[in-house]
């Protein structure tokens, strides 16, 4: 099994502008990387606990583009992506990674939709 965490550190979806110094952006990038590492570490450890061989990596970039690129590179039997449950307004302007992958990934795609009560209160934690 292969796992990937993709992120865009340059964008701020929930605001139209931001003032930040170069140090602020470095700190944000570090936080993104740390969050991604913790997420992957948890799932890799969990896979190993139940005897599933697993490898993982973090990629920087637009998640939908990076995931489809990695699918082409790794050639998995299938791709599993989560669905965050964006509202119709967000879907129109942002689109969804899962929808993009279903249309563009060069393998079958399984989308896991979470329950509304499983969504974090703060979108930053998503």
């Amino acid at each position: 099994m292969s796992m990937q965490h993709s992120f865009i550190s340059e964008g701020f979806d929930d605001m139209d502008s931001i003032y930040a110094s170069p140090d602020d952006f470095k700190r944000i990038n570090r936080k993104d990387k740390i969050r991604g590492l913790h997420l992957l570490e948890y799932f890799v450890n969990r896979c190993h606990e139940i005897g599933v061989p697993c490898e993982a990596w973090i990629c920087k970039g637009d998640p939908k583009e990076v995931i489809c690129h990695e699918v082409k590179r790794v050639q998995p039997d299938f791709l599993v992506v989560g669905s965050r449950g964006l509202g119709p307004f967000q879907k129109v302007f942002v689109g969804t990674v899962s929808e993009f992958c279903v249309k563009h990934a060069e393998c079958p795609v399984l989308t896991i939709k979470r329950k509304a009560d499983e969504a974090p209160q703060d979108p930053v934690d998503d």
Side-chain angles (χ1 to χ4, degrees):
M1 175 185 299
S2 298
M3 292 186 200
Q4 174 188 333
H5 173 71
S6 303
F7 67 94
I8 303 174
S9 59
E10 294 85 31
F12 296 91
D13 294 336
D14 60 342
M15 59 189 80
D16 59 2
S17 65
I18 184 170
Y19 170 79
S21 70
D23 287 340
D24 293 331
F25 283 107
K26 286 178 186 173
R27 191 170 48 256
I28 291 167
N29 286 336
R30 253 191 316 275
K31 279 184 169 180
D32 285 345
K33 288 177 186 175
I34 290 168
R35 182 177 290 136
L37 282 171
H38 286 294
L39 184 67
L40 286 178
E41 178 184 31
Y42 171 79
F43 286 109
V44 168
N45 287 336
R46 186 69 184 111
C47 285
H48 285 281
E49 287 171 6
I50 61 174
V52 176
C54 179
E55 61 180 14
W57 59 95
I58 294 178
C59 299
K60 183 177 176 182
D62 182 345
K64 57 186 175 259
E65 297 288 341
V66 171
I67 290 169
C68 288
H69 177 266
E70 290 299 304
V71 162
K72 198 176 283 192
R73 184 182 71 80
V74 175
Q75 299 180 343
D77 294 327
F78 62 95
L79 172 66
V80 179
V81 292
S83 174
R84 298 186 314 171
L86 295 177
F89 181 74
Q90 289 171 308
K91 283 183 185 178
V92 168
F93 291 100
V94 179
T96 68
V97 172
S98 55
E99 287 175 350
F100 186 91
C101 291
V102 166
K103 292 178 185 173
H104 296 94
E106 296 180 2
C107 68
V109 178
L110 174 63
T111 303
I112 307 296
K113 183 177 179 180
R114 72 168 160 219
K115 299 173 188 168
D117 62 345
E118 292 175 342
Q121 293 294 331
D122 188 343
V124 170
D125 296 328
D126 198 13

